[in-house]
Amino acid sequence: MTQTVTPELRQWIIEQSTAGCMPEAVLEAMVKAGWQADVAEAALEQTLREHLQKLGAGRSAAPAPAQAPSSREMATVRVPEIALAGSPRQLDAGDRMVEVIISVTQPRVVVLGGLLSHEECDGLIEASRPRLARSLTVQTATGGEELNPDRTSNGMFFNRGESDLVRRIEARIARLVNWPVENGEGIQVLNYKVGAEYKPHYDYFDPAEPGTPTILKRGGQRVGTVVMYLNEPARGGGTTFPDIGLEVAPVRGNAVFFSYNRPHPGTLTLHGGAPVLEGEKWVATKWMRERVFE
Ligand code: PD2
Ligand code: ZN
C-alpha cells in the first residue's frame, strides 16, 4: 500500500526539528506512528531540505516533543463504512432494518442487531454443514493455505452468489457498509466446539510477508470484516478486541463490523474468537477487499 505524505506530517517534521529533535528521533516516532520506514525517511529528508533552504539551518534548544501525527492521521485507502451520521438507532439494509447496538470510532467497530433472521442463520448452518473441514488460514509466507494451530475451528467458504440465501445476505451487507458486492470474498462459515478458539490476529495481510504480493493480486488488501453470529454458545465464544478491551457477545442474528484503512496494528483491529466454554459456536464471516475480488 502506498502511503501519501500529508501537509500535516510535513508541518510536524518542521516543528520537531525546529524544537531541536534529532532526525533519527523524528524518524523513529514516525515509524512508531505507523509510517512505512522508507516513506518516512524520504518525507523527512525532503521536508528538511526544503525547509533549510528557505530558512537557513538555525535550531532552537527546546525539548523534543513526543509523538508524530498518529497513524490515524496518515493518508489512507477508502474503506467500507456504515452511515452513522445523526446516530440512527436503525439502518435500512434494503430488505431489512438492522439495529445499531454499539459503535466505536477508533477502531471503527459497529455491533449490529438483527442483521440476519434466525431462519437465515439456520439456513447458513445447514448449507455449510456437509462442506465443513478443519479451518485453513491464508499463509502469507507463501500465498497458499495452511492448517493454523491458532484457529481450532472447522470451516468452509460459500462461493459468492452461490444461492438465493447467500446472494440476499451479500446484497444486504454491501448496502449496509457501502461497499460493492464484487469486492467481497465468499462468505466463510466457522464452527467452534468447546475449547476451540481463534487467537487474536489481524484480518489484513501482513505486507512484510513474502507471500502477500501474490495474495493482493486478487482484489488488493482486505479493508473490512463482518462477523455474523449464527447461534449462541451457552458460555464463551465472544469476539474480542484486545486493544480496546471490547468483547462482543455472540448473539444469534447479530454481527460485528470493523474496518481498517491500512495494514498496520495502529488500526487497533487486533481481534480474536475467545474459546467456547459451553455449547458450540457458529459464525459467518464476510471479508471485503479494496477492489473487485474475482
Ligand atoms: O469467530 C470469531 O469470533 C472470529 C474472531 C476473529 C472470527 C474471525 N476473527 C474471522 O473470521 O476473521
Ligand atoms: Zn479475524
Side-chain angles (χ1 to χ4, degrees):
M1 194 192 72
T2 313
Q3 293 180 332
T4 310
V5 176
T6 55
E8 289 77 8
L9 181 70
R10 291 186 197 287
Q11 182 59 34
W12 178 85
I13 291 170
I14 292 166
E15 282 166 15
Q16 305 317 293
S17 305
T18 313
C21 199
M22 297 304 285
E24 292 79 0
V26 177
L27 190 61
E28 196 185 325
M30 289 166 69
V31 170
K32 257 198 196 136
W35 291 91
Q36 288 159 8
D38 54 345
V39 175
E41 213 172 314
L44 184 66
E45 235 182 81
Q46 194 198 5
T47 306
L48 291 183
R49 196 178 338 105
E50 286 172 2
H51 184 63
L52 291 174
Q53 271 168 7
K54 265 195 225 156
L55 298 179
R59 275 189 178 157
S60 82
Q67 278 186 328
S70 84
S71 48
R72 292 174 205 143
E73 290 158 336
M74 72 171 72
T76 51
V77 299
R78 223 169 74 75
V79 294
E81 249 178 297
I82 298 181
L84 290 174
S87 302
R89 299 269 307 278
Q90 292 201 319
L91 301 162
D92 183 359
D95 60 345
R96 191 173 172 85
M97 295 302 285
V98 173
E99 273 179 68
V100 180
I101 296 179
I102 295 178
S103 103
V104 179
T105 51
Q106 284 298 337
R108 170 43 98 200
V109 175
V110 184
V111 180
L112 298 164
L115 175 63
L116 304 180
S117 70
H118 289 186
E119 292 69 33
E120 288 169 335
C121 292
D122 293 344
L124 286 179
I125 291 175
E126 291 320 316
S128 67
R129 215 184 269 282
R131 291 159 63 179
L132 287 180
R134 172 77 194 272
S135 295
L136 300 173
T137 300
V138 177
Q139 189 179 21
T140 42
T142 62
E145 288 190 318
E146 63 178 349
L147 260 187
N148 181 347
D150 288 345
R151 192 182 198 193
T152 47
S153 53
N154 289 311
M156 55 76 68
F157 275 95
F158 289 109
N159 293 315
R160 203 173 54 214
E162 79 161 59
S163 67
D164 284 351
L165 175 60
V166 164
R167 263 196 305 280
R168 185 161 81 231
I169 295 169
E170 287 174 339
R172 194 178 297 157
I173 292 174
R175 169 150 178 178
L176 206 56
V177 306
N178 216 345
W179 207 249
V181 165
E182 296 72 32
N183 293 23
E185 297 181 30
I187 290 174
Q188 184 189 46
V189 171
L190 294 177
N191 173 226
Y192 303 75
K193 305 286 188 201
V194 168
E197 65 180 318
Y198 195 173
K199 295 220 171 99
H201 60 274
Y202 299 97
D203 281 354
Y204 58 74
F205 302 108
D206 183 348
E209 290 287 340
T212 294
T214 307
I215 296 166
L216 299 188
K217 279 186 195 152
R218 214 178 152 201
Q221 264 293 358
R222 284 180 176 161
V223 288
T225 306
V226 178
V227 177
M228 297 164 268
Y229 304 103
L230 305 181
N231 82 324
E232 293 175 16
R235 285 191 305 123
T239 304
T240 60
F241 291 81
D243 290 338
I244 55 167
L246 175 67
E247 177 164 343
V248 180
V251 175
R252 192 184 190 204
N254 287 7
V256 58
F257 160 80
F258 53 100
S259 61
Y260 24 100
N261 56 15
R262 61 202 186 284
H264 191 274
T267 55
L268 305 179
T269 55
L270 183 69
H271 65 287
V276 173
L277 302 175
E278 190 182 338
E280 64 176 332
K281 173 184 173 188
W282 288 86
V283 295
T285 302
K286 166 65 88 179
W287 287 294
M288 282 149 283
R289 298 291 190 102
E290 286 175 276
R291 296 183 286 282
V292 173
F293 181 81
E294 304 282 13

